Amino acid sequence: RGSQPNERGAQPDVGAQTIFRGSVLFSLGSRFADESSGKELELAELSACRWDLDSEGLDYLDSDGSKVLVSSELHALPLGGLSKLDIALYDVASGLYERSPFEVPAHLRATVVDNGGFEGLAHTADGEKFVSANEYALSVDAVVFRRLLLFNGSTPAPKGNSSAPSSTFSSAPYEHPLAAMLPYVPASEAFGVVEFSEHPFSGTRVLSLERAHSTQDGNDVRLFEIDFSQARDVSCCPQLYERSRGRASPQCVLKRSAQPNTDEAGWTRTHEGAVYKRLLARWTRGGLVDAKTGTRVMLPVDNYEGMCLRPQPQPDGSRLLLLVNDDNGNARQIGTQFVLLALLPTVERSGPAEPTDSLGSGAELLEAPCHNLPVTAGSCGRVCMAGVSAGLALLVLAVVAVALLFRRRRSGLPLWWKGTRLSEDKPEDSVQLAQPTRVPV
């Protein structure tokens, strides 16, 4: 679970300690000047992308920064219309929309809640995956679950390639097809998953930012490391459950652990099959507290929703993480505040300790039984088809039974078949025969 092998060939678990480096606060309505034109701009204008989208996450697609990706969520817009759930590609020089190259499952589009879509967007440091998630639970899922989406990053499928991998909810080829859909459990159901960032010391993990607000306690912001190498793929699950229910596939039931499974390095997950999380920092009215050392910085907390990692490391090996809040144009908030944290690498152990309830290694993630099976008219994967096959079998039996009943009624024969009654509750005028009558073949 790290980036550098140790002497035994295993990868060390490199975590991070957060160190406050400074902040700057801009009051609501602060004005800035564009260096090239000298034109003054309001802070809100600098983030504008498209008026008809509720734009949220931002990431670059190319190393030269000429193309950017913007995630958006389903939301009723102030000027009318409805923003859609999407991850779109824009040209930086012109600011124009080019296309939507990511495979956003139709199932998510149909069940995402208003203002609870793709709030965060990032890529893994190795460039292999892009990451996003619905901010709040889908309307059909248990309220504790979010779905973390992994999209193929550095190996896009060519346009028009019908053999490109696809999810069970869509068969169209995409430049960045969905690779997996993993269960993500926030600190509580009240928390929104608002941002992701590449990990400073791992090519395959990411950082996530969660925040909640209550009138009693104010804002609660938490920064986590996320490791999805042991998570279960639930891309075939129409719904996610905390407990067994009816004929729900076991793949879609993520039971809550009696006690959170936390190992000696701080990795935790509360539900079977969910991604592993490790707390780095928590920020409340009581200040910004580093999870490892308990160091507290008294800094005003607000509605923090954005963060990005500085590409170049510092001389001491640390990486700088910039966070920013969303002031919502609300004069009762503190304004717009940028906060700079240094993430210092810490070796938690010399090699990775595999969780006892793991469902597979990272190498097995994309071979999960639910997702990458071909989607045809007669099959949608072993897990998905289990319930469908059972339903079809019952339907066929029902049709056969109705056909036999209709045939016997027309022939005037009693409603028995080979001596077995179809119902124990017969009408009073039904005829009881001593011996069953068989239909001649």
Side-chain angles (χ1 to χ4, degrees), residues 181-311:
M181 189 185 295
L182 310 176
Y184 182 109
V185 181
S188 78
E189 62 188 62
F191 278 78
V193 183
V194 295
E195 184 63 296
F196 293 100
S197 171
E198 64 182 279
H199 194 283
F201 313 116
S202 170
T204 56
R205 298 182 198 154
V206 293
L207 303 179
S208 74
L209 192 68
E210 301 177 13
R211 64 98 176 86
H213 178 270
S214 70
T215 54
Q216 179 178 354
D217 301 321
N219 289 287
D220 190 339
V221 180
R222 305 189 191 190
L223 177 64
F224 291 95
E225 291 180 83
I226 303 299
D227 187 302
F228 36 73
S229 64
Q230 306 295 324
R232 181 187 307 178
D233 188 353
V234 294
S235 55
C236 274
C237 296
Q239 295 177 269
L240 297 181
Y241 305 94
E242 275 194 283
R243 56 184 64 89
S244 300
R245 178 178 298 182
R247 296 174 181 169
S249 165
Q251 188 83 358
C252 306
V253 178
L254 305 148
K255 296 181 180 180
R256 182 185 292 271
S257 304
Q259 293 183 346
N261 180 7
T262 303
D263 64 18
E264 72 279 4
W267 290 103
T268 302
R269 68 175 174 185
T270 58
H271 292 70
E272 297 175 0
V275 298
Y276 271 89
K277 300 167 58 179
R278 182 162 60 191
L279 182 66
L280 293 181
R282 184 180 180 185
W283 198 354
T284 64
R285 286 175 176 171
L288 175 63
V289 181
D290 175 64
K292 177 171 290 295
T293 64
T295 303
R296 184 183 304 269
V297 177
M298 295 309 299
L299 189 69
V301 66
D302 201 78
N303 178 36
Y304 281 83
E305 292 188 348
M307 64 179 178
C308 65
L309 191 70
R310 187 175 187 271

Side-chain angles (χ1 to χ4, degrees), residues 57-61 67-71 87-90 99 101-102 121-122 130 176:
L58 179 68
D59 196 11
Y60 62 86
L61 182 63
K67 308 291 183 182
V68 294
L69 299 168
V70 178
S71 66
I87 301 176
L89 176 66
Y90 293 83
R99 58 188 181 276
F102 285 76
L121 177 66
F130 284 96
H176 300 282

